[in-house]
Amino acid sequence: QTSFYGRFRHFLDIIDPRTLFVTESRLKEAVQLLEDYKHGTLPPGVTNKELWGAQKIKQAIIHPDTNETIFMPFRMSGTVEPLRTSLLLQVVGLLLPNQTLASTVFWQWLNQSHNACVNYANRNATKPSPTSKFIQGYLGAVISAVSIAVGLNVLIQRANKFTPATRLLIQRFVPFPAVASANICNVVLMRHAELEEGIDVLDNDGNIVGSSRIAAKHALLETALTRVVLPMPILVLPPIIMSILEKTSLLRSRPRMILPVQSLVCLAAFGLALPLAISLFPQMSEVST
C-alpha cells in the first residue's frame, strides 16, 4: 500500500460485493487459515492464491480493531451493492430535479442516516466511544445537510437572474456541498473523543507503544478529506452527464427512460468513487516520533 495504485487495487478487493455472500463457516475457515500461516502451521498444499483469498474475505468482513464481524449493509462491500443497501436509491433521489422542501429533507436525512451507520461500523475502535458521540454525529450531520441543501435551494429559487434551465442545472449540484459538509460534520462529531484521548500507535511489529492525539488529528483529517472526495464523482458527474443525455433525441422521445438511465449513470459512478476516495491515504499511516 505504498502507492496509490497499490491501495486502489487493495480496496477494490475490500469492496468486492461477492464478499457479502460469504458464509459464517467460510469466514471462520479464512480466519483460521491466516492464523495457521501466522504461526507457521499451514496444512500442506495451501497455495498463495488461497491465502490471498482468505485475506480478502477477512479484510472485507472483520473490523481490524475489534475483530468483530461488521454488519453486512454497512461494510465497504455493501456500500457498492445496490441490492443490499439503499445507497443507489439515495443518490438518485438526491439528484432528482424540481424537488420540494419535503423531498429535499427526506433524501438528505436518509443519506446521512446511512452514512452515520457506515462511519460507526468502520470507525477507529482502538479506544471505546460512547453511544452519545454517535448520536451527536448523526444529529449534526442530518441538521447540517438539510440546512445547507434547503438554504441553497431557496437562494437559487430567489435568484431572478437565472433562466429556468440554468436554475434547474444549478439545483442538481446542490446535493454535493450539502452532503460533503455533512460528512465532515459527521466524522468530526462522531470521532471527537479521539482528539481528546488519542488513538493507539503501533510499531513495525504491530505492538502498541502508546496513545497519540497527534496521530488522531492526522487520522481525522485524512478521513474528513476522504468523505469530501467520496461523494464528488457520485453527485457531480451524474448531473453533468444527464444534462447532456437529456438533450438527445432518444431521451426526449422517451422521457420514461430518464430515471433508469440516471440510475445506471449513478451506479457507474459508485464503481469509481469509493475505491478512488479510500485509496487517497494508506490504511495504516506513519507519524514522526
Side-chain angles (χ1 to χ4, degrees):
Q1 295 190 42
T2 55
S3 68
F4 175 82
Y5 177 73
R7 292 193 296 271
F8 186 81
R9 289 290 302 272
H10 169 71
F11 285 117
L12 279 178
D13 283 340
I14 291 181
I15 67 173
D16 187 343
R18 290 175 297 180
T19 58
L20 292 172
F21 304 100
V22 172
T23 63
E24 187 69 25
S25 59
R26 177 70 183 95
L27 175 61
K28 290 181 179 179
E29 289 176 6
V31 172
Q32 186 59 51
L33 193 64
L34 293 173
E35 286 295 315
D36 292 341
Y37 171 77
K38 182 179 179 180
H39 296 101
T41 57
L42 269 179
V46 176
T47 64
N48 280 337
K49 184 178 180 180
E50 290 175 318
L51 285 172
W52 281 111
Q55 178 81 336
K56 174 181 177 178
I57 291 173
K58 180 181 178 182
Q59 289 183 334
I61 299 176
I62 302 296
H63 194 288
D65 296 331
T66 64
N67 287 321
E68 296 177 354
T69 302
I70 301 173
F71 187 45
M72 185 165 55
F74 306 133
R75 299 173 194 166
M76 285 299 176
S77 52
T79 306
V80 294
E81 176 56 72
L83 296 177
R84 291 289 175 178
T85 69
S86 61
L87 193 53
L88 179 62
L89 178 64
Q90 293 169 35
V91 175
V92 174
L94 287 169
L95 296 176
L96 287 175
N98 299 319
Q99 293 203 38
T100 63
L101 175 63
S103 66
T104 300
V105 172
F106 172 76
W107 289 115
Q108 291 291 344
W109 164 78
L110 182 62
N111 178 254
Q112 288 305 318
S113 296
H114 182 270
N115 286 349
C117 291
V118 171
N119 284 341
Y120 182 79
N122 296 277
R123 70 195 184 283
N124 184 309
T126 57
K127 293 293 180 66
S129 179
T131 306
S132 60
K133 293 294 182 182
F134 171 74
I135 297 175
Q136 289 176 14
Y138 170 70
L139 293 177
V142 171
I143 292 172
S144 62
V146 171
S147 300
I148 294 172
V150 172
L152 289 176
N153 276 324
V154 171
L155 288 176
I156 293 170
Q157 290 292 343
R158 293 181 178 178
N160 298 324
K161 296 181 180 179
F162 298 138
T163 64
T166 303
R167 188 180 293 115
L168 178 60
L169 180 62
I170 295 175
Q171 279 182 318
R172 284 182 161 181
F173 290 98
V174 167
F176 172 66
V179 170
S181 59
N183 286 351
I184 295 175
C185 180
N186 195 317
V187 169
V188 172
L189 289 175
M190 288 183 64
R191 297 179 58 174
H192 186 265
E194 296 176 23
L195 297 175
E196 300 172 350
E197 302 174 8
I199 59 176
D200 289 345
V201 181
L202 315 176
D203 60 17
N204 289 333
D205 298 321
N207 302 313
I208 298 176
V209 294
S211 184
S212 170
R213 289 195 293 263
I214 293 176
K217 290 179 182 178
H218 280 281
L220 205 60
L221 176 61
E222 292 179 356
T223 305
L225 290 175
T226 299
R227 296 299 188 270
V228 172
V229 175
L230 177 57
M232 190 179 296
I234 300 175
L235 298 178
V236 174
L237 289 180
I240 296 174
I241 295 173
M242 288 305 300
S243 65
I244 297 173
L245 293 179
E246 286 173 1
K247 296 177 182 178
T248 62
S249 58
L250 177 64
L251 291 186
R252 280 185 174 181
S253 60
R254 298 174 178 84
R256 292 183 179 180
M257 289 184 62
I258 292 179
L259 189 58
V261 170
Q262 180 167 313
S263 300
L264 291 175
V265 171
C266 292
L267 182 60
F270 281 140
L272 170 68
L274 187 60
L276 181 68
I278 59 180
S279 300
L280 291 175
F281 305 102
Q283 201 167 9
M284 297 291 290
S285 297
E286 294 182 357
V287 292
S288 172
T289 55

Short mmCIF file of all heavy atoms in Angstrom, two decimals, residues 8-10 29-30 32 37 54 62 80 127 142 172 178-179 181 192 196 237 258 264:
data_model
loop_
_atom_site.label_atom_id
_atom_site.label_comp_id
_atom_site.label_asym_id
_atom_site.label_seq_id
_atom_site.Cartn_x
_atom_site.Cartn_y
_atom_site.Cartn_z
N PHE A 8 -5.39 1.30 -4.43
CA PHE A 8 -6.60 1.20 -5.25
C PHE A 8 -6.95 -0.27 -5.51
O PHE A 8 -8.10 -0.68 -5.37
CB PHE A 8 -6.37 1.95 -6.57
CG PHE A 8 -7.59 2.04 -7.45
CD1 PHE A 8 -8.55 3.01 -7.20
CD2 PHE A 8 -7.79 1.16 -8.49
CE1 PHE A 8 -9.69 3.11 -8.00
CE2 PHE A 8 -8.92 1.25 -9.30
CZ PHE A 8 -9.86 2.23 -9.06
N ARG A 9 -5.93 -1.05 -5.87
CA ARG A 9 -6.16 -2.48 -6.11
C ARG A 9 -6.58 -3.18 -4.81
O ARG A 9 -7.44 -4.06 -4.82
CB ARG A 9 -4.87 -3.12 -6.63
CG ARG A 9 -4.50 -2.73 -8.05
CD ARG A 9 -5.46 -3.34 -9.06
NE ARG A 9 -5.49 -4.78 -8.97
CZ ARG A 9 -4.68 -5.59 -9.63
NH1 ARG A 9 -3.76 -5.09 -10.44
NH2 ARG A 9 -4.77 -6.89 -9.49
N HIS A 10 -5.98 -2.78 -3.70
CA HIS A 10 -6.30 -3.37 -2.40
C HIS A 10 -7.76 -3.12 -2.03
O HIS A 10 -8.48 -4.04 -1.62
CB HIS A 10 -5.37 -2.79 -1.34
CG HIS A 10 -5.76 -3.12 0.07
ND1 HIS A 10 -5.63 -4.38 0.60
CD2 HIS A 10 -6.26 -2.34 1.05
CE1 HIS A 10 -6.05 -4.38 1.86
NE2 HIS A 10 -6.44 -3.15 2.16
N GLU A 29 -13.12 -20.40 8.31
CA GLU A 29 -12.04 -21.11 7.62
C GLU A 29 -10.96 -20.14 7.16
O GLU A 29 -9.76 -20.42 7.28
CB GLU A 29 -12.60 -21.86 6.40
CG GLU A 29 -13.47 -23.06 6.75
CD GLU A 29 -14.07 -23.68 5.50
OE1 GLU A 29 -13.72 -23.24 4.38
OE2 GLU A 29 -14.90 -24.60 5.63
N ALA A 30 -11.37 -18.98 6.63
CA ALA A 30 -10.40 -17.99 6.16
C ALA A 30 -9.57 -17.44 7.31
O ALA A 30 -8.34 -17.32 7.20
CB ALA A 30 -11.15 -16.85 5.45
N GLN A 32 -8.99 -18.89 10.22
CA GLN A 32 -8.14 -19.96 10.73
C GLN A 32 -6.94 -20.19 9.83
O GLN A 32 -5.82 -20.43 10.29
CB GLN A 32 -8.95 -21.26 10.87
CG GLN A 32 -8.18 -22.40 11.52
CD GLN A 32 -7.70 -22.05 12.92
OE1 GLN A 32 -8.49 -21.59 13.75
NE2 GLN A 32 -6.41 -22.23 13.18
N TYR A 37 -1.09 -19.64 9.01
CA TYR A 37 0.04 -19.05 8.28
C TYR A 37 0.91 -18.22 9.23
O TYR A 37 2.15 -18.28 9.18
CB TYR A 37 -0.49 -18.18 7.14
CG TYR A 37 0.58 -17.37 6.46
CD1 TYR A 37 1.46 -17.95 5.54
CD2 TYR A 37 0.73 -16.01 6.74
CE1 TYR A 37 2.45 -17.20 4.92
CE2 TYR A 37 1.71 -15.26 6.12
CZ TYR A 37 2.56 -15.86 5.21
OH TYR A 37 3.55 -15.12 4.60
N ALA A 54 -8.28 -15.71 1.41
CA ALA A 54 -8.67 -15.65 2.82
C ALA A 54 -8.45 -14.25 3.39
O ALA A 54 -9.28 -13.75 4.16
CB ALA A 54 -7.85 -16.67 3.62
N ILE A 62 -14.23 -8.46 8.67
CA ILE A 62 -13.83 -8.32 10.07
C ILE A 62 -13.27 -6.93 10.33
O ILE A 62 -12.43 -6.43 9.58
CB ILE A 62 -12.77 -9.38 10.45
CG1 ILE A 62 -13.32 -10.79 10.19
CG2 ILE A 62 -12.33 -9.23 11.89
CD1 ILE A 62 -14.49 -11.16 11.05
N VAL A 80 -21.34 -0.54 -2.18
CA VAL A 80 -21.45 -0.50 -3.63
C VAL A 80 -22.38 -1.58 -4.18
O VAL A 80 -22.43 -1.81 -5.36
CB VAL A 80 -20.06 -0.66 -4.29
CG1 VAL A 80 -19.19 0.51 -3.97
CG2 VAL A 80 -19.39 -1.96 -3.87
N LYS A 127 -10.00 2.83 20.82
CA LYS A 127 -10.46 3.37 22.10
C LYS A 127 -11.98 3.33 22.12
O LYS A 127 -12.62 3.57 21.08
CB LYS A 127 -9.98 4.81 22.29
CG LYS A 127 -8.47 4.96 22.44
CD LYS A 127 -7.99 4.34 23.75
CE LYS A 127 -6.48 4.49 23.91
NZ LYS A 127 -6.06 5.89 24.05
N VAL A 142 -27.23 15.30 9.97
CA VAL A 142 -28.55 15.48 9.38
C VAL A 142 -28.93 16.97 9.35
O VAL A 142 -29.40 17.49 8.33
CB VAL A 142 -29.61 14.67 10.16
CG1 VAL A 142 -31.01 15.04 9.69
CG2 VAL A 142 -29.37 13.19 9.97
N ARG A 172 -29.20 20.84 -9.42
CA ARG A 172 -28.73 19.45 -9.44
C ARG A 172 -27.38 19.31 -8.73
O ARG A 172 -27.00 18.20 -8.34
CB ARG A 172 -28.59 18.98 -10.89
CG ARG A 172 -29.93 18.65 -11.53
CD ARG A 172 -29.75 18.14 -12.94
NE ARG A 172 -30.93 17.41 -13.39
CZ ARG A 172 -31.03 16.84 -14.58
NH1 ARG A 172 -30.03 16.91 -15.43
NH2 ARG A 172 -32.12 16.20 -14.93
N ALA A 178 -23.91 20.01 0.23
CA ALA A 178 -24.68 19.63 1.41
C ALA A 178 -24.16 18.33 2.00
O ALA A 178 -23.92 18.22 3.21
CB ALA A 178 -26.16 19.50 1.05
N VAL A 179 -23.97 17.32 1.15
CA VAL A 179 -23.50 16.02 1.62
C VAL A 179 -22.06 16.09 2.10
O VAL A 179 -21.70 15.53 3.14
CB VAL A 179 -23.65 14.96 0.50
CG1 VAL A 179 -22.95 13.66 0.88
CG2 VAL A 179 -25.12 14.70 0.22
N SER A 181 -20.27 18.68 3.30
CA SER A 181 -20.15 19.37 4.58
C SER A 181 -20.74 18.54 5.72
O SER A 181 -20.20 18.51 6.83
CB SER A 181 -20.84 20.74 4.51
OG SER A 181 -22.21 20.59 4.18
N HIS A 192 -14.79 12.84 17.80
CA HIS A 192 -14.16 13.93 18.54
C HIS A 192 -13.41 13.43 19.77
O HIS A 192 -12.41 14.02 20.20
CB HIS A 192 -15.21 14.97 18.95
CG HIS A 192 -14.64 16.19 19.60
ND1 HIS A 192 -14.53 16.34 20.96
CD2 HIS A 192 -14.09 17.30 19.06
CE1 HIS A 192 -13.98 17.50 21.23
NE2 HIS A 192 -13.70 18.11 20.10
N GLU A 196 -9.32 14.09 21.99
CA GLU A 196 -9.08 14.33 23.42
C GLU A 196 -8.25 13.22 24.05
O GLU A 196 -7.37 13.48 24.88
CB GLU A 196 -10.42 14.46 24.15
CG GLU A 196 -11.29 15.60 23.63
CD GLU A 196 -12.68 15.58 24.23
OE1 GLU A 196 -13.01 14.58 24.90
OE2 GLU A 196 -13.42 16.56 24.05
N LEU A 237 -20.62 14.13 -11.30
CA LEU A 237 -20.60 13.57 -12.65
C LEU A 237 -22.00 13.26 -13.20
O LEU A 237 -22.30 13.62 -14.35
CB LEU A 237 -19.72 12.31 -12.69
CG LEU A 237 -18.22 12.51 -12.56
CD1 LEU A 237 -17.49 11.18 -12.62
CD2 LEU A 237 -17.70 13.44 -13.66
N ILE A 258 -35.54 8.32 -18.53
CA ILE A 258 -34.61 9.21 -17.83
C ILE A 258 -34.20 8.63 -16.48
O ILE A 258 -33.01 8.60 -16.13
CB ILE A 258 -35.23 10.61 -17.64
CG1 ILE A 258 -35.37 11.30 -19.00
CG2 ILE A 258 -34.37 11.45 -16.70
CD1 ILE A 258 -35.99 12.68 -18.92
N LEU A 264 -28.38 4.04 -13.92
CA LEU A 264 -27.18 3.38 -14.47
C LEU A 264 -25.97 4.30 -14.38
O LEU A 264 -24.86 3.84 -14.07
CB LEU A 264 -27.44 2.97 -15.92
CG LEU A 264 -28.44 1.84 -16.14
CD1 LEU A 264 -28.68 1.62 -17.63
CD2 LEU A 264 -27.95 0.54 -15.50
#
